[in-house]
Structures are given as C-alpha cells and as structure tokens.
Amino acid sequence: MMNSTVEHDVDAEITVDVVVIGCGTTGLALGRLLELEGLRVAVIDRGRMPMARPRATHVDDETMRAFQTLGVRHLEKDFSPMGIYRHYDDKWRIVMRMDMNRGRTEQGWQSDYMFHQPDFEAVLRGYAYNYANGGTYFGWEVTSLKDAGDSVLVDLRETATALDRRIRASFVVGCDGANSGVREFMGCTQIDHRATHRSLIVDIIPLVAKDNLPPGRDAFIQGAIRNPLTFTRIAGPRVRFELMLRPDDDSAAFARTEKAYDVLSPWFSPEEYRMLRCDVYEWRSLTAGPWRAGRFLLAGDSAHTMPPHLGQGMCSGIRDATNLAWKLGRVVRGESPMNLLETYETERRPHVDTYTRLSARLANKIEALAASEEEPPLLRAEALRPRLGPGVGDDANELAGTLSSQPRTAGGRLLDDVVGYRFALVADPAVLSGTSDRTKSLLETLGIHVLQEFSGEVRDWVTGLGAAAVIIRPDRYLFGTAGDSAELDVLVAALGTSLLPSAMSAS
Ligand SMILES: Cc1cc2nc3c(=O)[nH]c(=O)nc-3n(C[C@H](O)[C@H](O)[C@H](O)COP(=O)(O)OP(=O)(O)OC[C@H]3O[C@@H](n4cnc5c(N)ncnc54)[C@H](O)[C@@H]3O)c2cc1C
C-alpha cells in the first residue's frame, strides 16, 4: 500500500533519473530502453525472482520487433508460430476457421508467436542487473511516494529484511500492474469498457503424446456450452486450457485441482501431465486517466487492461514503453521540454483503446457464432495496425503515426539493427543533398541517424509509400514522409518544432 504521508527511517538516499516501479513485461522493457537512452534507472519489484509461470503467451510481429531492440531476439528460436484457430459449437460442429499464421511480415518477423514469458523476464532482469547506471531492487516493495516539486521521492522496503531505502528521481513510472498503487497515488479515474469475465486457466506439460488434440500449433474454442473452452499450445511442450466462468460460478470451486483434472479428462488422465497452473483470473477492460500527473506516469496494465482474446495486453504495455522511453530520454537530458511527455497519452491512448474495445467485444461475443453444416472457409487473420493519436507527427501527412516497415538493408541487416533506438531518416541521396543547410544542421542537432543507403528493399519500401524520404521515430512509427527536397526541409523543420524547446526551434 502506498501513501504520501508516512516517513521512513532512511539510511541512504540514492539519486536516479527514473524509477520504474514493477518488473513485469512493461517495466522490464521500459527499464531496458531507458538504459539504451543512457539514463540512470532504478527498477523495483516486490518479487525476488522472475515470474515462474507465464501469463502472456502471444507476441505479435510489432512486439517481436521491440524484442529485437530489447536484445532478446535470441529467444525467438524457442518461440512457436501460431497455427489455425477452429471455433466449434456444443456438438463439436465447426463454426469458423482462422489461419493465425501470416508468415513473415513487413515487420521483419513472423506475424504471431507463442513465447515463454518467464524466459523473457529472466533475460531482461539480467540486463537490468548488469547495467552500470542502474539499480535493481528485486524483493523490495514501494511503500510511499512523495512529490517534492522538482523531483520525486520513492520509499521502499526489502521484504525479507525490512531494510528501508529512499530513492530520489526526476520521474517515476508506475508499471505496477492492474492494481497499481502509483495510479491510486496519482488520483486517476478509470473508464470501464464493460467486459468483465472470469476464466480458469490450466497450464500443463503433457508427459505422453496424444493424437486427440489439434495437430501442430493449431488451437480451438468450443463455444455455446455452459463454460466455453479454449485450447492453445503455448511455448515449448506447454499447453493451456481456458474455461470461461458464468457469473454465478464460484471461483474457489473452479480453482480446485480436481476441477482441472475434470476439465482435461476428455484428453488426458491426471497422471499423464504435470500441472503448472490452475488459477481463476478476472478480466476487465479498463482505461485509466490521466497517464501522467507531473513527474508520475503510468504504463502497461496500470494504464489499461483488456481481456486476453487478442493476446494484446502485454504487447500494448511494450508499445507504451517504446513510446515513452525516448521521450523521457530527451526530457531528462534537457533536449526537449517537459510537455513532450503530454504526447505519450495523446498518442498511445487511442491506439490501445482500439485493442481494448475489440477485445471487450470479442469477450462478450464468444458464444454468438452459429455453426454451419459445411466446412466454413479458412479465414486469414489480419493485422490491426491502429494509428497513433495526435502528438509528435507531421499533422499534414496521412502516413504520420502509422507503423513503419522493417526492410533489410543491402548488407542483409534488419533496418532497426542499423538504426538503433533513435530517430532515423531514410532518403533518396539526391533528395537529401538538395535540402537546405538549415535542414542538415537540424538533423545533427536532433541526433537523427541518416541511413547511408537507398537501395533494394529499403528503397522499394520508401518509394512504395509514394515518397522519396521518411522519418522514422525510435518507436518505429512514422513522423512523416517527403516527396522532394523542399518537402524534406519542411518535414525536418516540423520535427524540430515538435521536439526542441521553442526558443531553440525559433533560432
Ligand atoms: C492468463 C493471461 C493470459 C494473457 N495472455 C496474453 C497474451 O497472450 N498476450 C499479451 O500480449 N498479453 C496477455 N495477457 C496480458 C498480459 O499478461 C499483461 O497485460 C501484462 O503481463 C502486463 O504487464 P505489466 O508489466 O504492465 O504488469 P504486471 O505483469 O502485472 O507487472 C506488475 C509488477 O509490479 C509489481 N508491483 C506492483 N506493486 C508493487 C509495489 N508496490 N512495489 C514493488 N513492486 C510492485 C508486481 O510484483 C508485478 O511484478 C494475459 C494475461 C493473463 C492473466
């Protein structure tokens, strides 16, 4: 429980740029990106150990691209692409078939994977520990927060020893999950999108091979029964059965181990698997606001939660992190004014709301599909690619705020590996050389990486957009595009106006 009034005996005060409270997927991703920004970061989690059992299992291609930036691509060899999703009615008649595997996409990765969250968290905790400019507090609980005007004070206590610490920081980001204490401290309100459900989640590792389950990486949902049942293969040998509870179902009764044995009995007898989890979760669709109050910010589940039907809760939290880290970097270094942080919520909130509303609709509709007598056509899943809300983008440009592609450069490297976590300009050299001296010096002032090639996949992508130059933001969304040198002059000037303190931009 956090409060703003209790003072602790503090034997040592540590000063950092950013305190990240919560080391779930959001906080660990944010901590790593702040490290790439060169900031001093403290990451805190009440859990001493990385989580042992996965919650999130699905990663999309955009998030895999973020994993690439975070330095966890080596785990991809153990991720599994997804297969076909079949939706059955109560008599096991097929209602719908959806191929979830769109192969390698313009993001440079497979469209959708199943992954193992504990491995991801373990690697990122290790990076945080190794980071010379960082401090890790695993097994520490944040007990109070205080706004000290030009800084914030975070008091924490080691659970095992009752040792107290105080950290002074320029900013605090609450990545502390759905029951966020930081959100409470900030006095946020929440919008309820009205899709509250409970599910029993049973994860197992089968100890015997079974041929009565869907082949390969295929999955199914059986709707139109009292408790709709979903089966998916999660990473490696693990499989997940998920049973949706009715409003009058008793959570405690469903969480009994015997219930899991019962649910799995059509496929496995109890001695044929090792049970990893048997928990009842409550899904809510909530959006908090505001996401920033002075030097306090929210990211991930603390800012928004959604039912799991699109597998986008974690992915959305990681998008928050990629959007926020470069902005905090610029503000802390004094390169941009504090109000750059306003654009975090204006951009991210409409984007995540698209997923939250759709997940809520799907959760409420899971039984509404009708079975047909014939095998339904195989539908192909489509990527949702919402546009960012207004913020750091060229307002006049219809591609601003859309997700960029990730082509391979002539040397065969993926674009983000060449660029790093920073702004990039990809331009036809003739167009670039025709720009003004002011543009060239502004590119330097803004620290924009200018890609030194314009051929093959890179050129095809840019010209395919009907452009001769594009500016990509560190979070891989487009700032804007230009068709010639004069337009590029205007585009770079607009970027300067968005990022630089007004005095500098006017000079
Ligand atoms: C069963 C299930 C399946 C899901 N499947 C998917 C999926 O397939 N794909 C997907 O994208 N998403 C999925 N999600 C959603 C996803 O798991 C969450 O959106 C994501 O994990 C949220 O991450 P987070 O880091 O924001 O919060 P959390 O993971 O909740 O992390 C918050 C952290 O803050 C710490 N903390 C809180 N308060 C304090 C304090 N006072 N002091 C110190 N530490 C504190 C906690 O210990 C915790 O580690 C699923 C969720 C569930 C439950």
Side-chain angles (χ1 to χ4, degrees):
M1 184 67 193
M2 288 176 205
N3 63 61
S4 55
T5 50
V6 176
E7 291 293 341
H8 295 263
D9 286 338
V10 174
D11 48 15
E13 184 174 299
I14 298 144
T15 302
V16 298
D17 298 314
V18 183
V19 168
V20 176
I21 302 178
C23 294
T25 47
T26 308
L28 287 168
L30 181 65
R32 173 73 170 154
L33 293 169
L34 293 172
E35 171 190 336
L36 297 179
E37 285 290 314
L39 303 193
R40 297 167 299 163
V41 191
V43 297
I44 303 168
D45 199 287
R46 59 163 73 102
R48 276 192 314 120
M49 308 284 283
M51 68 144 49
R53 299 168 303 169
R55 287 193 287 152
T57 57
H58 163 258
V59 187
D60 67 13
D61 51 354
E62 180 188 354
T63 310
M64 186 60 222
R65 193 174 169 187
F67 282 15
Q68 174 191 346
T69 303
L70 295 169
V72 294
R73 87 171 74 191
H74 58 290
L75 299 179
E76 194 235 5
K77 63 179 182 353
D78 299 320
F79 295 2
S80 318
M82 291 177 75
I84 294 174
Y85 236 99
R86 292 183 177 79
H87 196 125
Y88 296 105
D89 73 359
D90 56 332
K91 301 196 171 55
W92 291 101
R93 290 176 306 192
I94 192 154
V95 174
M96 190 188 74
R97 293 186 304 151
M98 175 81 77
D99 190 353
M100 301 300 294
N101 184 349
R102 289 179 288 115
R104 195 164 290 274
T105 74
E106 84 292 347
Q107 294 300 300
W109 297 98
Q110 296 292 319
S111 64
D112 297 272
Y113 296 94
M114 300 304 266
F115 86 118
H116 194 222
Q117 184 182 353
D119 295 346
F120 171 82
E121 294 196 4
V123 172
L124 285 178
R125 275 188 175 224
Y127 284 150
Y129 176 71
N130 275 337
Y131 178 44
N133 265 342
T136 49
Y137 298 87
F138 300 139
W140 292 70
E141 172 109 24
V142 172
T143 51
S144 92
L145 299 169
K146 192 170 183 179
D147 188 345
D150 58 355
S151 64
V152 291
L153 297 172
V154 180
D155 288 333
L156 54 157
R157 175 167 293 174
E158 189 173 34
T159 316
T161 62
L163 202 65
D164 287 330
R165 280 275 181 284
R166 168 167 285 183
I167 307 179
R168 184 181 292 274
S170 300
F171 293 96
V172 163
V173 188
C175 302
D176 50 346
N179 300 315
S180 169
V182 179
R183 186 180 64 218
E184 193 184 327
F185 175 83
M186 287 166 60
C188 301
T189 55
Q190 297 196 82
I191 295 171
D192 191 339
H193 302 276
R194 295 216 186 85
T196 301
H197 293 277
R198 288 168 302 150
S199 291
L200 168 68
I201 308 277
V202 185
D203 290 348
I204 63 164
I205 295 186
L207 302 173
V208 294
K210 287 283 167 176
D211 55 12
N212 57 352
L213 283 166
R217 308 306 305 177
D218 291 0
F220 70 74
I221 300 177
Q222 188 185 22
I225 53 176
R226 178 174 164 82
N227 298 112
L229 174 72
T230 305
F231 164 86
T232 45
R233 292 184 189 274
I234 55 180
R238 302 165 196 85
V239 299
R240 172 170 290 179
F241 291 84
E242 182 181 333
L243 207 64
M244 192 184 270
L245 273 62
R246 296 275 175 181
D248 56 340
D249 285 331
D250 174 17
S251 292
F254 272 72
R256 286 195 186 109
T257 322
E258 291 79 0
K259 180 70 181 174
Y261 289 144
D262 184 39
V263 171
L264 271 60
S265 61
W267 296 277
F268 292 97
S269 99
E271 76 284 3
E272 290 181 330
Y273 52 86
R274 176 153 67 89
M275 203 183 299
L276 303 175
R277 90 155 59 239
C278 169
D279 299 316
V280 171
Y281 279 93
E282 183 175 80
W283 315 109
R284 303 201 64 190
S285 305
L286 298 170
T287 312
W291 293 10
R292 173 176 164 240
R295 296 179 175 276
F296 295 86
L297 296 119
L298 300 177
D301 273 17
S302 62
H304 45 74
T305 57
M306 64 184 80
H309 299 83
L310 292 172
Q312 282 292 335
M314 174 198 74
C315 298
S316 299
I318 288 180
R319 287 188 197 102
D320 293 347
T322 62
N323 184 293
L324 182 57
W326 64 266
K327 293 175 181 172
L328 280 172
R330 291 194 67 90
V331 171
V332 168
R333 289 191 300 269
E335 295 166 358
S336 289
M338 184 94 151
N339 65 11
L340 176 64
L341 298 176
E342 294 297 324
T343 65
Y344 164 57
E345 182 171 352
T346 60
E347 290 181 348
R348 283 291 308 137
R349 190 172 167 149
H351 191 283
V352 74
D353 273 354
T354 307
Y355 290 101
T356 309
R357 289 206 194 94
L358 185 58
S359 302
R361 268 214 324 268
L362 288 174
N364 288 333
K365 261 189 162 171
I366 195 152
E367 297 177 78
L369 298 171
S372 72
E373 291 303 316
E374 292 165 17
E375 178 87 342
L378 183 61
L379 306 174
R380 221 167 148 65
E382 276 177 32
L384 267 185
R385 301 271 193 234
R387 192 177 173 166
L388 294 178
V392 182
D394 176 15
D395 293 341
N397 193 308
E398 64 178 24
L399 290 172
T402 61
L403 183 62
S404 68
S405 294
Q406 182 176 217
R408 280 191 187 273
T409 59
R413 295 173 71 196
L414 285 166
L415 181 64
D416 299 353
D417 292 336
V418 178
V419 167
Y421 181 63
R422 54 188 166 158
F423 275 90
L425 171 66
V426 182
D428 183 331
V431 166
L432 182 58
S433 69
T435 55
S436 68
D437 288 347
R438 182 168 196 278
T439 293
K440 292 184 182 97
S441 97
L442 203 48
L443 286 171
E444 257 188 66
T445 310
L446 292 166
I448 296 188
H449 177 89
V450 179
L451 193 72
Q452 294 302 325
E453 69 160 85
F454 195 69
S455 60
E457 282 186 25
V458 171
R459 184 195 50 219
D460 292 350
W461 167 56
V462 175
T463 55
L465 296 174
V470 301
I471 294 180
I472 309 168
R473 307 172 1 152
D475 52 21
R476 319 306 179 196
Y477 282 78
L478 287 177
F479 176 77
T481 64
D484 56 30
S485 304
E487 282 182 20
L488 188 51
D489 282 335
V490 174
L491 189 69
V492 174
L495 183 60
T497 308
S498 298
L499 295 182
L500 297 176
S502 48
M504 282 176 71
S505 128
S507 67

